[in-house]
Amino acid sequence: MADILVADDEVMIREMLARHLKLAGHTCHMAADGTEARRLLSGQAIDVALLDVMMPGEDGFSLAQAFVEKSIPVLFLTARTAVSDRVYGLRLGADDYILKPFEPAELLARIDVILRRSRKNKYCDALLTVDFDARTVLLRGQAVSLTAMEFDLLARLLENEGAVMSREKLLSQVWGWEYTGETRTVDVHVQRLRAKLGGDTVETVYKRGYRYTRRNGA
């Protein structure tokens, strides 16, 4: 399922959303204002952000930019009915917009659509944000330059997140080579990835290969 951030200053709405999101199998992270939402953004892997447009202090439109910059999908929650407001929010980079009051079932359906779309083309956890179409990588929000082969290797590990990929399989799927007893090329590229992304980014599984495991903390 997904990690969903809900930023809304109304306690009843937060509690209602938390209840329905948890029943749907999602993990819910709650924020009463923009400051708390930014704190959660900096320390937690977020798959989708549900942002109330009208909050005390920083409003949802301003807050959304921080999520869009990290390629995290945004869905606005608002009582504003003006078309100009909806257009403005979408132009900021939001994925969707739902008017209050709304039916929880409709909101959950919209979240499912956003997740299917975003997970097809992007990967995001507390450490990495990877756009497979644009072939870009952010490490804790900072751009990292990878060679084409380094990116392809990382992408294959992310696509098989949590699974052990043997050196032979990686050699075949990333380089397109048949295994002939030499897998040093894979080891060298893993070392280069670790040098750019951190020493423990790609885990070595003794005598089996390599894997990447989702990071859920800061």
Side-chain angles (χ1 to χ4, degrees):
M1 292 274 87
D3 284 89
I4 311 292
L5 183 143
V6 176
D8 196 301
D9 62 313
E10 296 184 55
V11 176
M12 291 183 63
I13 289 182
R14 291 201 306 273
E15 292 178 347
M16 179 271 289
L17 288 173
R19 183 167 61 253
H20 286 282
L21 288 168
K22 289 175 182 177
L23 284 173
H26 300 302
T27 299
C28 192
H29 307 277
M30 312 300 289
D33 54 36
T35 300
E36 193 171 358
R38 284 185 179 274
R39 180 183 60 79
L40 288 169
L41 174 62
S42 66
Q44 177 65 49
I46 302 296
D47 295 304
V48 179
L50 309 182
L51 306 181
D52 180 25
V53 171
M54 295 183 288
M55 291 187 289
E58 184 176 22
D59 67 21
F61 286 150
S62 174
L63 180 61
Q65 297 177 30
F67 289 87
V68 171
E69 287 172 1
K70 288 195 172 186
S71 299
I72 297 173
V74 169
L75 189 155
F76 282 123
L77 312 172
T78 185
R80 293 184 178 182
T81 59
V83 172
S84 59
D85 285 331
R86 297 200 293 274
V87 170
Y88 180 68
L90 294 171
R91 283 180 173 170
L92 285 176
D95 289 69
D96 207 344
Y97 204 111
I98 192 166
L99 295 176
K100 298 178 181 179
F102 51 81
E103 289 295 327
E106 180 185 359
L107 178 65
L108 290 173
R110 291 182 183 227
I111 290 172
D112 286 344
V113 170
I114 290 172
L115 286 170
R116 286 198 299 271
R117 185 167 61 236
S118 65
R119 285 176 170 170
K120 181 179 180 180
N121 300 315
K122 293 187 176 77
Y123 178 90
C124 184
D125 66 11
L127 183 69
L128 295 177
T129 301
V130 179
D131 187 318
F132 296 115
D133 289 339
R135 295 180 67 85
T136 58
V137 177
L138 300 179
L139 174 66
R140 296 189 177 91
Q142 300 299 312
V144 177
S145 177
L146 299 182
T147 66
M149 202 59 73
E150 289 166 356
F151 183 90
D152 290 344
L153 174 59
L154 177 62
R156 188 49 53 97
L157 289 167
L158 295 179
E159 288 166 358
N160 294 273
E161 174 193 318
V164 179
M165 301 287 289
S166 70
R167 291 171 174 83
E168 294 80 12
K169 183 173 290 187
L170 288 168
L171 196 66
S172 172
Q173 293 186 4
V174 177
W175 281 267
W177 301 349
E178 292 298 324
Y179 174 59
T180 58
E182 176 55 61
T183 58
R184 179 62 180 165
T185 295
V186 177
D187 298 333
V188 169
H189 280 76
V190 167
Q191 290 170 11
R192 290 175 180 170
L193 272 181
R194 287 171 172 165
K196 293 182 178 181
L197 302 178
D200 62 346
T201 310
V202 180
E203 178 187 358
T204 299
V205 180
Y206 183 62
K207 289 187 177 180
R208 294 183 60 196
Y210 297 106
R211 72 178 166 203
Y212 182 91
T213 303
R214 173 175 290 269
R215 269 56 168 182
N216 291 315

